[in-house]
Amino acid sequence: MNTLRFVTEKLKAYLDFSFVFRLNIVLLLFFLVLLGYPAVTPHSIMVAVSFASLMAFIYLFNKVTDTNEDSVNIKAGLLPEYLTRRVRLFSFLCLVLPIFYLAFYYQLLIPYLIVALLGFFYSFKLRIGDRIIRLKQLLAIKNITSAFIWTIPPTAVRIIETNTPNISIFIISCVIFFATFAIEAIWDIRDIEGDRQFGIRTFANRWGYPVAKKIAIASLSISLILSFIGSNAPTMLALVISIVFVAYASPFRHSWFYHSLVLIWVLATSLSIAMRILV
C-alpha cells in the first residue's frame, strides 16, 4: 500500500510539473509539425523540435504574465514568485535557440517569426495611457489568434514540402484551425472567474459557459466534417472525443480534466505518425 501511494504521489507530482510547463502542449505541436512531412528524417525532427520550442515560449510567457488570473483560476500549479524570472528567461531561450537552425531555412524562419510575434502580443501587456491591452483580452480575437498560432506551423511545413498550396493542405489547415478555436473556448470555461475579474473577455464570461460550449461544439463539428475529406482515423476519433468532452466541461472541473483533452490529441497525432511509418 505504501509503495502504491508513493508511486501515485510521484506520478501526480510529475503530471503537475508537466502541466505547469506545458509539456503536453509542446508535444502536441511537435507531432502536428512532424505530420506535415512525408517521412520522419533528422531535418523534419529538428523543424518539429524548433516549432515545439516556440510553443513552449508562447505558453510559458503566457503563464508568467497570467499570475493574477491563475491565482483565481487554478488551485495548484501556480509558479512561486522566485521561479517566475527563471521561467521567463527559459521561455526566451526557447524562442531564440531554434533560430540558429532555422536561419538556414528562410522559408521556415518567416512563419516561425510570425507565430513568435503573435504569441508575444497574445500575452504582452501593452500600456496605452491608463489602460493595459492584450490580444487575449479581446473577445473572439483571443481564440482566433490562438487558432492561427497552432495552424501556421504545420501549414507552412506542408506548403514548403509540396512547393505549392493545394486544396488538401487548405482542408487540413481548417481542421486544425476550427479544432483549436473550439479547444480554446473550452479552456475559457475553466478560466471563467479569473478572466472575468481581470478584464479578459471570452465567450464563457460574456454569454455564459453553456453558450461557450455550443460555440465549441459548432466549431468542432465543422472540423469533424472537414476531417472526412482530409484527415485520418485518429484525428476523427479525437474530434469525436473532444465533442463529448465539451458536454462535461464546466468551471468546476479540475485542470486535469482539460489537460487530459490535450493528451488525447497528443495520442491521436502520435498514432497518426506511427501509422504512416508502419504503412
Side-chain angles (χ1 to χ4, degrees):
M1 183 63 68
N2 289 335
T3 303
L4 179 61
R5 183 180 302 151
F6 174 79
V7 172
T8 303
E9 288 176 354
K10 288 295 183 182
L11 179 61
K12 184 178 182 299
Y14 169 76
L15 288 173
D16 284 340
F17 171 84
S18 68
F19 292 162
V20 167
F21 288 93
R22 303 299 195 259
L23 298 184
N24 51 342
I25 291 171
V26 170
L27 264 179
L28 178 55
L29 189 69
F30 172 82
F31 288 130
L32 279 174
V33 172
L34 204 57
L35 274 171
Y37 286 94
V40 176
T41 64
H43 172 67
S44 65
I45 291 174
M46 284 299 297
V47 173
V49 167
S50 296
F51 279 103
S53 181
L54 173 60
M55 190 60 73
F57 156 72
I58 291 170
Y59 277 83
L60 288 176
F61 183 64
N62 179 66
K63 187 160 190 68
V64 298
T65 59
D66 265 5
T67 50
N68 291 332
E69 295 92 324
D70 284 350
S71 67
V72 177
N73 291 330
I74 57 179
K75 310 303 180 187
L78 288 172
L79 284 177
E81 190 173 342
Y82 75 91
L83 268 182
T84 300
R85 183 175 297 180
R86 297 178 189 177
V87 171
R88 185 181 288 112
L89 175 61
F90 178 72
S91 73
F92 278 97
L93 285 175
C94 290
L95 168 67
V96 172
L97 290 179
I99 294 175
F100 290 98
Y101 181 78
L102 295 179
F104 297 98
Y105 307 94
Y106 75 92
Q107 290 177 308
L108 290 168
L109 183 60
I110 292 172
Y112 182 93
L113 295 176
I114 291 172
V115 173
L117 285 172
L118 284 173
F120 178 77
F121 285 107
Y122 177 85
S123 300
F124 181 70
K125 296 178 180 179
L126 180 65
R127 186 176 292 276
I128 301 177
D130 295 330
R131 297 182 62 193
I132 294 177
I133 297 176
R134 290 187 286 175
L135 282 179
K136 67 179 299 179
Q137 288 181 302
L138 306 175
L139 182 64
I141 299 299
K142 174 181 188 288
N143 305 72
I144 292 170
T145 302
S146 181
F148 274 119
I149 286 171
W150 280 91
T151 305
I152 289 172
T155 301
V157 164
R158 284 181 167 88
I159 291 174
I160 292 167
E161 279 298 298
T162 59
N163 293 319
T164 181
N166 57 55
I167 189 64
S168 176
I169 293 175
F170 176 75
I171 291 172
I172 293 171
S173 299
C174 287
V175 170
I176 298 171
F177 182 89
F178 285 108
T180 310
F181 185 92
I183 292 172
E184 187 71 22
I186 296 169
W187 275 88
D188 290 338
I189 294 172
R190 186 203 71 165
D191 297 340
I192 187 171
E193 192 56 41
D195 288 347
R196 181 185 291 121
Q197 288 186 28
F198 293 96
I200 297 175
R201 293 185 293 175
T202 65
F203 299 126
N205 64 32
R206 184 68 181 273
W207 296 308
Y209 76 86
V211 172
K213 290 167 70 168
K214 291 176 182 177
I215 292 172
I217 289 174
S219 188
L220 286 168
S221 298
I222 293 171
S223 188
L224 180 60
I225 292 169
L226 291 172
S227 72
F228 282 96
I229 305 172
S231 294
N232 50 39
T235 300
M236 289 186 283
L237 180 59
L239 285 165
V240 172
I241 293 173
S242 297
I243 292 172
V244 174
F245 257 72
V246 175
Y248 291 95
S250 81
F252 313 106
R253 295 286 182 186
H254 193 278
S255 290
W256 283 30
F257 173 84
Y258 296 92
H259 282 293
S260 63
L261 178 58
V262 180
L263 292 175
I264 287 169
W265 277 96
V266 171
L267 180 60
T269 51
S270 60
L271 279 174
S272 299
I273 292 171
M275 288 168 58
R276 178 179 295 177
I277 294 172
L278 291 174
V279 171

